[in-house]
Structure formats: C-alpha cells, structure tokens
Amino acid sequence: MKTRFLVVALITFLSFVSAQTDKRLKGIEKQFNSVLESTKAPGFAVAIVEGDKVIYAKGFGYADYENKIPADANTLFAIGSSTKAFTSALLGMLQEDGKLSLDDSPIKHVPELRFYNDEMNNNIIIKDLMRHSTGLPRHDGSWYFFPSDSKDSLVARIQYHEPFTGVRQQWYYNNFGFLLQGVITERITGESWEKNIEDKFFKPLGMNRSKTMIDGMKNGTNTAFGYRLDDDRNIEKMDYFDIAGMSPAGSINSSVNDMSQWLKTWINKGKYGETQIIPEAYVKEAMSSKMVVSGGMPKDEMPDVQFSNYGYGWFLHSYKGHYMVEHGGNIDGFSASVALYPTDSLGIVVLTNQNGSAVPRLVRNIAADYMLGVNKTEWAKEHKEAIEKALEKKEEAKENTSVSNVKGTRPSHTLLDYTGFYENKGYGKFEIVVENDSLFTEFNGHKQYLNHFHYDTFEVLDYEEGKADTTAIGNSIKVTFTTNTTGDIDYLKTDIEQMTDAIAFKRTPNTLDVDAKTLEQYVGTYDLMGTEIKAYIKDENVLYVFVPGQPEYELIPTALHKFNFKVLEGFKIEFVETDGTIDQVKFIQPNGTFVAKKKVD
C-alpha cells in the first residue's frame, strides 16, 4: 500500500510540474475548474499527449463524491464507446496477418449469422460493421433492456432487427456491428475478445490498470463511482451498468494515464516505442473518411466545424482548421472523449463520472485551444450560459404543458388479462404480473411499475423502495397492448426504436399447474352438431382434444376451466360446469364460438 501511494504521489507531482513548465498550458487549470463548477460534475481526469510524451495528466473533483475521495490520473472510469477503436483495430491486425479481408462478408466468419433480409445477407461486408453503414438503426433496447453474457445469443437476435434503409445508403450508429467485429475476432483467434484486447493492447502498451469487464470497476482500487444530475440538478449516484456480452461495443474501463499510451500509439502511426502495435496502413485507413455522418454547410454558430464523417471506430471532424479524430463514450454514470489531432501530433483524453456529460467535450476543446495555439473560446462560460437558458425554457415548458393523455379512459380488460410472458426474438422476453391491484414487470433486474396512461396504453416507471417514480409520468416509455379477434391481449407494442415501426412483443398467457385428478373431469366425448370431439390425457398430465380430420391439439391451461390451443393463435377452449359437473365445452375462435355437449356414457 505504501509503495502504491508513493507511485501515485510521484505521478501527481510530475503532472503538476509538467503543467507548470509548459508555457502553453498557463492558466488552463482555472478553465478546467470552471467546467467542474458549471457542469456540477463529481469529477474528471484529463491527459494531454504530444508526440511520444505525456505533457499533462491530472484529476479534478472526486472519484467518490460521497466520501470526497479525489480523482487522479490513475482513477478508473468507464470509457463506453471509446472502446470501439480498440475492437476495430483487432480486425486491422488480423487483416495485416492475412487472416481476413475487411471486404469479407461477416457470414464467412460467423456462419450462423443472418440479417433481416437477403439484400443484407448478400451485400453487407465487414467494413459496413466498422463504419455504421449496414442500414440498421441502433436497436439498443435489445441489449440494454435484455442483456446477455452470451455474445452468440446476442448475435442470434440480429436476424430480427429491421433495417430502416438499404446497405450503404446512410450512416447510422449501431452497436451490434461492433459486437459482430468482436465475435469475428473470437472465431479467427480462438480466444475471447476480452483476452485479445488484453494481450494485443493492454499488456504491450503498459495499460496495467485497464479492464475489459465491469468486475474490474466493482472489485478494483482507485475506481470512480458513476453519477447523474436529477431533475433538480442534484448529484445522484448510479449503479454500474454491466454491458455483458456487448463488451466489444463499449466495456473498457481505464484511466487517463493508461489511455495516454493508446493515444501515443495512434499519434505515432501505430508504433509504441520501437514496436509496431497496430499496422501503419490500418491506422491511416481507420482515421480516413469512410462514411458521411451528416452533410451541409458549416453553421453560423460553429463555422470551424466543416465536416462530420466516420472512419473505423472514429468520428472525423475539423476543429478550428485542424483535422480531429475523436470518439466519445457514454454508459450509465460515465462519459468520455478520446481525441487525436494527427497532423499536430496531439492527443487528448477526458474521462468523467457524470452521465451524459458535457465535460469531455468542454475540457477537450479547452485543452485543444491551448495546445493548438488557436483563438480560445470561453467554453465553460458558454456552457454555463447555455444551461441557464435551457433551465429557463424548461420552467416555461412546465407551466405550459400537461400530460397528453385522454382523460377518463380505462383499460379494456381486467388487469389479470394483461399478465403473461411477452417476447420478441430480436429483443428478449419479460413477464408482466399483478401485485396489489397493479401491473409490474422487470427489465435488467430493475422493477418497473406500469402506470395506466389511457385506453390500453401504459407507461413504464422506475419502482424502488416500494414507490414508483411519479415525476416521470408523461415522459416515460409507453407500451400499448393489442387485442386479437377472440378478445385476448395478444401483443405489447412500444416505440423504443425510433427509426422503425413499434417493436412488438408477443404475449403467451401464464399457465397453471393442473394435476391429473383435475384434468380427468374434462376427459370425454363431446357432440358438436353431430361431430364427435374427444378430450383425453397423455404425455404426463397434458390435455388434448381431437377433431376428426384434424391433428390432435395440445391444450395449455390458463385459468379455471380455460385452455389455449398451443399451436393455434386466437383459438381457445372453455369447459362449462353445471352443478359440479363438466357438461359442455366452448370452442372460441376467430370465426365464432361453438358449443359442444358432453355425451353421457
């Protein structure tokens, strides 16, 4: 412990000396502290690299806000999607070794992979995964609400993800493309993506504190906790988010000291010291324009931002006349920016423990202004003014808005009729239950309350410590239940992917455990207008019915005397009891209800 303390103290001292001796950085810490104040961030860390030297590395604020434990240059933060450049670089190395071509179909390396349609299956190449040009929108609800530790199970969902445009027609951010890159690496190397990252980058670059899994944050030392600002702009702690099997898209946790070594490698054309870590040809290709993110002329308020493109795991922009290569990162409680200015041999990394934060952008731009010798923008002041205006408008909006639901409506069914399992093969499966006359469900281990909005539409509210988050009413995710022709709830639909139609989850009613003795009362022959229909038990207490000329149908018990056909959507059976004896059965189907009387032996 004493040795570790001395090392950290030495690094902090050297960072302080560097900041004081480099004349270009005079006054920069005042600006950094202004950002900390205006954003109300718990803390952040920043490092500046020039050529092969780290000229500045320091933490500001707190890694642990409650206990006032300072952040420093060795504090671990989640870097989120700044992970993507690592993942794509592995493929660049495999291409250099002749083990793949970036023009290969990903199906060549992941044979079970299928996309939504033949156009995608036949035309998507690995480059499309790297530059976000598959035609798929984000579909982030698939992994965020339904995480899985199995990369293969996540890959299986892709087949059901609807595109919004054709292949290479439009750039659109998609995390699943980076999952696939990680899986391709695993299939070719025979090692996990996590081990590849550690062996190919962390170890040779001396990134000794960096981790590929959330356990590194949970169980490590000098790690930051994540925070957000609540509606009243109070700092609120957040749980760590385990990205699980989607790790190639954004699971790395690192410090600015470690990330400085990554920056050095890219600044120096893939070399770290005398060792070529990433192929030079790939470095140039990855930092070159591959897809246009957005077009148009420069805006009046940002005349120096003259293009917005994407390479391989990197966004490409201009910044005050300088070529900038950057990728941000956002994951629950953390934000990041990793930026390169290749023609200036400059790299800047900013990591913060604030959710959806402006800190990385502001601190990065302040550092760039000082290092590039351009006219300095008062970034902290501009941000503070923008926040004040936004808060004023928010208050005005509160006074002039109300919940846009239709008042006085009720659900079309009893709450019990909405219960059951709901599944979409491209997303996942969840259950809705009734507790204390209310509907509840659970996503990723977090309990949710379904608050009635209007008609058959409900909104999903966080539920903690026995209370629903009523402050979110009117602004939460909405779900709408639909009814089939026989009057049953058949689907739940929700607009969690804005670029496609509502995502539909098919309902399977909850089933009951019915013993053999109970089932026996339904066994017998029933007369339906001269046609004999038989009900019988087989396969260890499973009830079947048989209609002449049709296959036998397995029945699924859903309530007292009620069953659904296992393989027929919208068909169900209800046995009728009179004076304690089953004497009829109703066949309820889309074209009507038919009653058959039980024959007495």
Side-chain angles (χ1 to χ4, degrees):
M1 180 63 73
K2 184 177 181 181
T3 302
R4 178 184 173 280
F5 173 77
L6 289 173
V7 171
V8 172
L10 178 61
I11 290 171
T12 303
F13 173 74
L14 290 174
S15 299
F16 176 79
V17 170
S18 297
Q20 297 303 311
T21 57
D22 195 310
K23 295 179 180 179
R24 291 171 296 182
L25 300 181
K26 184 179 179 180
I28 199 170
E29 291 190 356
K30 181 179 179 181
Q31 295 295 319
F32 288 165
N33 281 311
S34 294
V35 170
L36 196 68
E37 179 184 354
S38 69
T39 60
K40 299 193 71 174
F44 69 85
V46 53
I48 303 171
V49 175
E50 187 174 43
D52 61 355
K53 291 183 172 58
V54 180
I55 67 168
Y56 185 85
K58 189 173 180 179
F60 292 80
Y62 302 106
D64 180 343
Y65 183 77
E66 289 80 11
N67 295 303
K68 299 297 182 282
I69 297 175
D72 61 40
N74 282 315
T75 300
L76 283 184
F77 297 81
I79 73 168
S81 286
S82 299
T83 298
K84 287 180 168 62
F86 287 84
T87 296
S88 290
L90 289 174
L91 296 187
M93 297 166 77
L94 290 171
Q95 178 176 246
E96 180 76 5
D97 293 339
K99 294 181 179 178
L100 62 68
S101 166
L102 299 185
D103 292 313
D104 288 345
S105 166
I107 296 173
K108 175 180 177 180
H109 303 283
V110 187
E112 75 275 20
L113 170 66
R114 291 294 178 273
F115 293 98
Y116 191 81
N117 56 41
D118 287 341
E119 181 205 355
M120 301 174 77
N121 289 328
N122 296 332
N123 291 294
I124 287 176
I125 60 176
I126 292 174
K127 287 178 181 176
D128 293 313
L129 309 178
M130 302 168 75
R131 63 194 175 197
H132 299 295
S133 57
T134 60
L136 285 166
R138 297 183 70 115
H139 286 294
D140 280 340
S142 175
W143 62 267
Y144 188 84
F145 295 122
F146 304 95
S148 171
D149 289 318
S150 168
K151 295 185 182 73
D152 290 342
S153 72
L154 291 168
V155 168
R157 297 178 188 176
I158 294 173
Q159 179 178 354
Y160 305 98
H161 289 174
E162 183 180 355
F164 78 100
T165 189
V167 178
R168 290 184 285 283
Q169 294 299 303
Q170 183 177 333
W171 180 93
Y172 206 91
Y173 200 83
N174 180 272
N175 283 297
F176 278 89
F178 282 78
L179 163 70
L180 282 174
Q181 292 175 60
V183 172
I184 289 169
T185 298
E186 293 185 344
R187 299 296 176 88
I188 292 174
T189 64
E191 300 283 1
S192 69
W193 170 85
E194 289 80 3
K195 192 170 191 310
N196 273 283
I197 292 293
E198 291 163 6
D199 291 347
K200 301 296 185 182
F201 300 131
F202 289 176
K203 290 178 182 177
L205 297 181
M207 298 175 67
N208 299 321
R209 286 189 46 73
S210 299
K211 308 294 181 184
T212 57
M213 300 176 71
I214 197 64
D215 285 349
M217 293 282 278
K218 291 179 177 178
N219 304 319
T221 57
N222 193 6
T223 60
F225 290 110
Y227 299 88
R228 65 183 171 192
L229 292 178
D230 65 17
D231 289 341
D232 297 318
R233 290 184 60 78
N234 296 313
I235 296 174
E236 180 179 66
K237 193 173 185 179
M238 297 183 74
D239 293 333
Y240 289 130
F241 182 80
D242 186 357
I243 197 170
M246 284 296 289
S247 50
S251 73
I252 290 176
N253 308 300
S254 191
S255 67
V256 296
N257 269 340
D258 274 13
M259 290 298 293
S260 296
Q261 312 315 308
W262 179 242
L263 289 173
K264 285 182 191 177
T265 305
W266 282 86
I267 290 170
N268 292 287
K269 301 177 181 179
K271 289 186 75 173
Y272 184 73
E274 298 302 315
T275 305
Q276 191 76 42
I277 301 295
I278 307 170
E280 181 176 349
Y282 173 77
V283 169
K284 292 179 179 178
E285 189 175 4
M287 294 195 296
S288 300
S289 296
K290 301 302 176 186
M291 282 293 290
V292 174
V293 174
S294 61
M297 300 295 291
K299 297 178 180 179
D300 292 340
E301 62 271 22
M302 298 186 73
D304 293 315
V305 178
Q306 297 173 2
F307 66 93
S308 179
N309 295 348
Y310 202 85
Y312 297 149
W314 293 107
F315 284 96
L316 312 174
H317 304 285
S318 59
Y319 180 77
K320 298 186 177 180
H322 295 258
Y323 193 85
M324 182 173 77
V325 178
E326 188 268 348
H327 210 294
N330 286 285
I331 198 70
D332 293 24
F334 295 90
S335 303
S337 177
V338 181
L340 300 157
Y341 305 79
T343 56
D344 301 285
S345 295
L346 175 67
I348 301 167
V349 55
V350 186
L351 307 177
T352 182
N353 53 343
Q354 185 181 57
N355 191 59
S357 179
V359 167
R361 172 179 60 85
L362 299 172
V363 171
R364 178 197 72 216
N365 288 350
I366 290 169
D369 286 354
Y370 275 75
M371 290 300 298
L372 297 173
V374 296
N375 290 331
K376 295 182 178 66
T377 301
E378 294 189 60
W379 291 108
K381 180 182 177 183
E382 286 192 1
H383 178 260
K384 184 177 181 180
E385 291 172 352
I387 287 294
E388 289 172 351
K389 289 180 181 178
L391 290 173
E392 287 177 8
K393 290 182 179 180
K394 184 178 178 181
E395 287 302 315
E396 290 175 6
K398 277 184 181 179
E399 295 174 3
N400 299 319
T401 59
S402 59
V403 178
S404 58
N405 61 333
V406 180
K407 307 297 189 290
T409 64
R410 300 179 63 182
S412 62
H413 292 61
T414 63
L415 293 185
L416 191 63
D417 289 343
Y418 296 92
T419 63
F421 288 94
Y422 291 80
E423 183 174 18
N424 179 292
K425 291 183 179 180
Y427 280 68
K429 186 176 183 180
F430 62 98
E431 184 181 12
I432 292 178
V433 299
V434 172
E435 293 181 12
N436 300 322
D437 297 324
S438 297
L439 292 177
F440 290 90
T441 188
E442 189 175 288
F443 293 111
N444 193 18
H446 295 282
K447 193 170 185 178
Q448 307 289 322
Y449 169 69
L450 272 63
N451 180 59
H452 183 247
F453 190 70
H454 59 204
Y455 299 110
D456 279 338
T457 297
F458 293 72
E459 55 185 348
V460 183
L461 305 179
D462 289 336
Y463 191 85
E464 295 180 3
E465 298 179 356
K467 294 182 179 180
D469 180 12
T470 55
T471 63
I473 289 177
N475 297 307
S476 294
I477 291 174
K478 310 286 190 302
V479 299
T480 298
F481 297 90
T482 62
T483 304
N484 63 21
T485 54
T486 59
D488 292 328
I489 299 296
D490 58 353
Y491 282 93
L492 174 152
K493 296 183 178 180
T494 179
D495 293 316
I496 54 174
E497 175 45 66
Q498 62 178 357
M499 300 301 291
T500 67
D501 291 337
I503 304 300
F505 292 80
K506 188 180 186 309
R507 175 178 177 258
T508 300
N510 287 321
T511 59
L512 303 176
D513 290 327
V514 182
D515 58 35
K517 184 177 179 181
T518 301
L519 290 179
E520 284 288 349
Q521 65 183 320
Y522 307 122
V523 172
T525 302
Y526 296 80
D527 179 57
L528 179 61
M529 295 180 289
T531 299
E532 287 191 348
I533 297 173
K534 293 184 177 180
Y536 50 90
I537 297 171
K538 64 181 235 181
D539 299 337
E540 297 184 3
N541 300 334
V542 177
L543 188 65
Y544 286 79
V545 295
F546 175 73
V547 179
Q550 298 185 35
E552 62 179 4
Y553 295 110
E554 182 180 343
L555 301 180
I556 307 296
T558 59
L560 180 63
H561 301 332
K562 295 180 179 181
F563 296 77
N564 281 6
F565 284 78
K566 184 175 182 179
V567 297
L568 290 179
E569 171 69 23
F571 290 74
K572 56 187 179 180
I573 277 181
E574 180 178 351
F575 292 93
V576 179
E577 180 181 355
T578 303
D579 296 329
T581 302
I582 299 296
D583 60 357
Q584 294 182 56
V585 61
K586 293 180 181 179
F587 290 85
I588 304 166
Q589 50 198 59
N591 61 333
T593 298
F594 305 90
V595 180
K597 293 184 177 181
K598 191 174 186 181
K599 299 180 75 172
V600 179
D601 295 333

